Amino acid sequence: MNSKTLFKDKNSLTIRYTPDTVPHREEQINMIGGILAPALKGDRPSNIFIYGMTGTGKTLVTQYVVNQLKEIASSNNVTINVLYVNCKMKRVADTEYRLIAYLAGLLGKKVPATGLPTDQVYKIFFEALEEKTGVVILVLDEIDALIEKVGDELLYTLTRINQDIDNSKVTIVGISNNLSFTENMDARVKSSLSDEEMIFPPYNALQLKDILLERADIAFNEDVIEDGVIQKCAALAAQEHGDARRALNLLRVAGELAERQNMTKITIGHVDCAESKIDLDHIVEAVKTQPKQSKILLKTILMLSEKSSEYIFTGDVFDLYVTLCDKIGIKPLTQRRISDLIAELDMLSIINTKVISRGRHGRTRTIRLAISGKVYTKVSEYLNNEFNI
Ligand SMILES: Nc1ncnc2c1ncn2[C@@H]1O[C@H](COP(=O)(O)OP(=O)(O)OP(=O)(O)O)[C@@H](O)[C@H]1O
Ligand SMILES: [Mg+2]
């Protein structure tokens, strides 16, 4: 048997695939469905704010519910218009102009990519809304990215839209995996956006197992998955934070590794390899996308950790960092900014920091590298290539 017989439909394990069933989200589906149901009678539903960690099914569930609503609506001769925007998408939601132009476009009005006064773009969008009968459900996925890029003024306008428009009824569904952005949000925007609030909990290992079993049936041929493989993928993903995307990725990569080795079965060993591969790709990618100053900082920490396996003191890091900046010919950041960057590297799990007491010298923060083995080698090679010091 050759490797071709492992996968039946590999596409079903990628993010592009939308499953027909959504196990373990009945409660969320019913709740969102219930909140949006008035749209079927032509009444405006409350706005909803959906929050939950990454991979907890927010996007999937929302799309599932609005698609079902649209189906019921069309069999009842009612119109429901759904405008879905992923605000992380480049060239769509990075300026107010672009977003409103994009929304107008979804409603069938063409707006030039640049050039019009913003007022004019709004006018076209409002006119397009006026022409629509029935409720318009505006789904703003990754809404934190929108606020970060264009501020909350735009959302204020959107939440007030129904006062300016006679014919149409707009409901906003905001989705985010990051709650902290609401802290700085205008209180009025925040409260009208979250008429209804919903939190998606992380999946546990048993739930992830069910999700994987359903998907594996579609993705793989019969009898190619060894006992324990699905459980292992589920357990690893549950350990992290109940992330279905990670669970599916582990299974897909394990399958690809087995395929590459021309194996007839996917084993637990493949899952272990998949885990290291995903982590490796993830961390190396994270390092590559850091700002230059952060990379110099990390290079500094790597150099110090090669000298001693003990904890590294932030004071030593700063001194060597300044020296390296001099060598490279770049202006060093202040100690305060470096502290921020250290905290960021900690968040990315590239380093661990800990505050310790040094007796009469007071308290200080110490650093230890959190990467080892293959990841360490890759990161180290990359930084050596970047900075020839
Ligand atoms: N209950 C489920 N049943 C089947 N597949 C699921 C389920 N929940 C999530 N998935 C799958 O897991 C992946 C992640 O789900 P989704 O994109 O909805 O997460 P999210 O909460 O929107 O994450 P993020 O905050 O990162 O955008 C998708 O491929 C989705 O199809
Ligand atoms: Mg999502």
Side-chain angles (χ1 to χ4, degrees), residues 14-15 17-19 21-25 52-61 141-142 175-177 200 203 211 215 243-245 248:
T14 65
I15 45 166
Y17 180 85
T18 310
T21 53
V22 189
H24 300 298
R25 281 296 178 244
M53 304 270 257
T54 185
T56 51
K58 302 179 296 297
T59 300
L60 175 63
V61 164
D141 203 347
E142 319 254 7
I175 307 176
S176 172
N177 57 30
F200 276 50
Y203 293 113
I211 293 172
R215 205 67 76 88
D243 176 346
R245 190 180 292 117
L248 289 163

Side-chain angles (χ1 to χ4, degrees), residues 42 129-135 162 164-170:
L129 284 174
E130 294 272 21
E131 284 170 19
K132 290 283 166 197
T133 49
V135 169
N162 295 299
D164 299 329
I165 290 170
D166 304 325
N167 245 335
S168 128
K169 305 172 182 97
V170 180

Side-chain angles (χ1 to χ4, degrees), residues 326-370:
D326 278 352
K327 277 196 185 163
I328 299 168
I330 197 170
K331 194 165 169 264
L333 298 173
T334 60
Q335 188 139 14
R336 205 196 151 89
R337 277 291 294 135
I338 288 302
S339 291
D340 293 344
L341 293 184
I342 288 177
E344 274 167 37
L345 290 178
D346 191 354
M347 277 209 335
L348 291 169
S349 299
I350 298 172
I351 59 173
N352 288 323
T353 67
K354 198 165 119 187
V355 176
I356 58 160
S357 164
R358 297 175 86 190
R360 62 193 173 84
H361 297 295
R363 287 152 70 79
T364 182
R365 198 152 62 137
T366 60
I367 298 171
R368 184 168 248 173
L369 260 187

Side-chain angles (χ1 to χ4, degrees), residues 5 15 29 51 70 72 81 115 119 150 159 170 221 319 366 371:
T5 52
I15 45 166
I29 290 172
Y51 164 72
K70 275 200 326 202
I72 301 173
N81 310 278
D119 285 1
V150 291
T159 53
V170 180
N221 284 315
D319 292 346
T366 60
I371 53 176

Side-chain angles (χ1 to χ4, degrees), residues 215-340:
R215 205 67 76 88
D217 267 350
I218 308 167
F220 296 102
N221 284 315
E222 249 170 71
D223 291 332
V224 300
I225 305 177
E226 239 175 36
D227 280 353
V229 163
I230 301 269
Q231 283 84 342
K232 175 102 193 195
C233 293
L236 287 175
Q239 237 171 44
E240 199 103 325
H241 55 256
D243 176 346
R245 190 180 292 117
R246 182 167 169 89
L248 289 163
N249 272 340
L250 281 165
L251 187 59
R252 179 180 49 83
V253 175
E256 285 168 357
L257 291 171
E259 182 182 52
R260 220 169 292 160
Q261 296 166 358
N262 271 317
M263 304 287 272
T264 53
K265 282 205 184 242
I266 305 165
T267 63
I268 293 186
H270 289 128
V271 180
D272 288 323
C273 293
E275 189 195 20
S276 342
K277 184 173 182 321
I278 290 171
D279 288 348
L280 173 71
D281 293 350
H282 186 76
I283 293 187
V284 174
E285 205 40 48
V287 169
K288 284 185 182 169
T289 51
Q290 287 301 299
K292 192 163 188 181
Q293 291 282 4
S294 233
K295 290 181 192 167
I296 301 174
L297 173 66
L298 188 56
K299 171 82 187 160
T300 311
I301 295 172
L302 253 62
M303 285 169 74
L304 288 172
S305 73
E306 275 160 23
K307 276 202 216 140
S308 133
S309 56
E310 291 295 297
Y311 272 115
I312 304 162
F313 292 106
T314 39
D316 297 339
V317 170
F318 190 67
D319 292 346
L320 182 60
Y321 158 78
V322 173
T323 315
L324 290 189
C325 283
D326 278 352
K327 277 196 185 163
I328 299 168
I330 197 170
K331 194 165 169 264
L333 298 173
T334 60
Q335 188 139 14
R336 205 196 151 89
R337 277 291 294 135
I338 288 302
S339 291
D340 293 344

